[in-house]
Amino acid sequence: MSSVIDLEWWRLAAAYLFVLILIAIVKAKGISREKEIIIATVRMTVQLVIVGYVLEYVFTNANPFYTVLLVGIMLAFAIYTIQKRIKSELNRAMKNLVALSMSAGVLVSLIYFLLVVIGVSPWYQPTYVIPIAGMIVGNSMTGIALGVNTLMGEMHSRKHLVEAALMLGATPKQACKEIVNRAFDAAMMPTINSMVGMGIVFLPGMMTGQILGGASPIVSIEYQIAIMLGIVGSVSLSVILFVQFGYRTFFNRRNQLEL
């Protein structure tokens, strides 16, 4: 297999032409997004450059403290991002549940994946732990965010139906069952759609990266299948934990709906 082509700086700079094309399009269409596009591009570049140098150091100085610290930072930032993205104001109980569900789903899936599925040795090997944790955390963050938005939106739009069910003697769990199912389904749909199109519609990032790095396509496929199943496990665990307990935050101790 051929070695990786090292991009020269001027070639990397040439890739920013695509951003200029996007800015030209939105400007021609009269869409006021130029500032957001520029900020997003600069932020992406700065963040990735910083991360690149940090990972370069961590990869060459494998240490369990550094590995755990980076995973913790990724998880904490993902939880913060979820809470910041939600349009509706989250109460303290909901915020705590988001953090708990995200942490439990990600860590259980990540530990099982690294130790059982791949068998990483030593367990803190950053070249495996950090990229895999990034993919699992990122997808779980998307799932939880969709679950939160859907649950809160459905609870508000179907408030009268929930109250009617409660008046007829239903428990909060029974009254919110359909809403909980809708939230879980909405949160899982992007992951399921990715699985359906993977391999035919598009080549996943991990597989593409390994192939560009010189790995055999067969080995790359094995890893991609494994990580995709790990992502499914993490998203499903995180989301089910959130929706199964999230609806309770809308009720008081007397099982009265508070919206």
Side-chain angles (χ1 to χ4, degrees), residues 49 55 58 66 68 88 106 109 164 182-183 188 203 206 248 257:
V49 169
L55 291 181
V58 172
Y66 294 149
V68 172
S88 304
V106 167
S109 301
R182 283 171 179 260
M188 291 303 302
L203 291 179
M206 181 179 183
R248 286 294 315 174
L257 186 63

Side-chain angles (χ1 to χ4, degrees), residues 47-63:
Q47 288 177 171
L48 287 176
V49 169
I50 293 173
V51 168
Y53 282 106
V54 170
L55 291 181
E56 182 75 19
Y57 177 81
V58 172
F59 286 178
T60 55
N61 298 274
N63 185 295

Side-chain angles (χ1 to χ4, degrees), residues 204-226:
M206 181 179 183
M207 179 179 172
T208 302
Q210 286 190 312
I211 292 174
L212 289 175
S216 163
I218 302 301
V219 173
S220 302
I221 288 170
E222 291 174 349
Y223 270 90
Q224 185 58 59
I225 291 173

Side-chain angles (χ1 to χ4, degrees), residues 209-252:
Q210 286 190 312
I211 292 174
L212 289 175
S216 163
I218 302 301
V219 173
S220 302
I221 288 170
E222 291 174 349
Y223 270 90
Q224 185 58 59
I225 291 173
I227 189 58
M228 195 63 223
L229 296 176
I231 288 171
V232 169
S234 177
V235 175
S236 58
L237 281 175
S238 300
V239 173
I240 196 62
L241 283 173
F242 173 77
V243 296
Q244 283 297 109
F245 296 100
Y247 76 91
R248 286 294 315 174
T249 62
F250 295 97
F251 295 87
N252 59 27

Side-chain angles (χ1 to χ4, degrees), residues 13-193:
Y16 284 90
L17 174 64
F18 297 112
V19 177
L20 297 179
I21 291 173
L22 174 58
I23 292 174
I25 291 173
V26 297
K27 193 175 181 66
K29 292 291 184 180
I31 304 172
S32 301
R33 292 287 183 186
E34 299 96 326
K35 184 177 179 180
E36 291 180 40
I37 294 170
I38 293 173
I39 291 174
T41 303
V42 172
R43 182 173 175 177
M44 173 203 70
T45 303
V46 173
Q47 288 177 171
L48 287 176
V49 169
I50 293 173
V51 168
Y53 282 106
V54 170
L55 291 181
E56 182 75 19
Y57 177 81
V58 172
F59 286 178
T60 55
N61 298 274
N63 185 295
F65 174 76
Y66 294 149
T67 302
V68 172
L69 179 62
L70 283 179
V71 172
I73 290 173
M74 285 191 290
L75 188 55
F77 187 76
I79 292 170
Y80 170 77
T81 302
I82 294 170
Q83 295 174 348
K84 188 177 179 181
R85 279 184 180 178
I86 306 306
K87 295 179 180 179
S88 304
E89 187 175 348
L90 296 178
N91 56 41
R92 181 175 294 275
M94 186 74 80
K95 288 182 178 180
N96 291 338
L97 186 58
V98 166
L100 178 62
S101 302
M102 182 78 179
S103 299
V106 167
L107 294 178
V108 169
S109 301
L110 180 61
I111 292 171
Y112 177 84
F113 187 86
L114 291 172
L115 299 183
V116 178
V117 178
I118 295 184
V120 176
S121 181
W123 62 267
Y124 56 84
Q125 192 169 340
T127 51
Y128 283 89
V129 178
I130 303 304
I132 292 171
M135 287 182 281
I136 288 179
V137 170
N139 284 273
S140 297
M141 180 181 71
T142 301
I144 285 282
L146 288 171
V148 173
N149 269 326
T150 305
L151 182 65
M152 299 190 75
E154 289 286 317
M155 287 297 294
H156 283 87
S157 65
R158 299 167 70 89
K159 177 182 176 182
H160 61 291
L161 296 178
V162 174
E163 290 177 332
L166 293 172
M167 291 176 64
L168 292 173
T171 63
K173 183 177 181 179
Q174 292 170 331
C176 298
K177 181 180 179 181
E178 186 176 347
I179 293 175
V180 168
N181 291 343
R182 283 171 179 260
F184 181 78
D185 183 57
M188 291 303 302
M189 194 53 61
T191 304
I192 295 172
N193 287 339

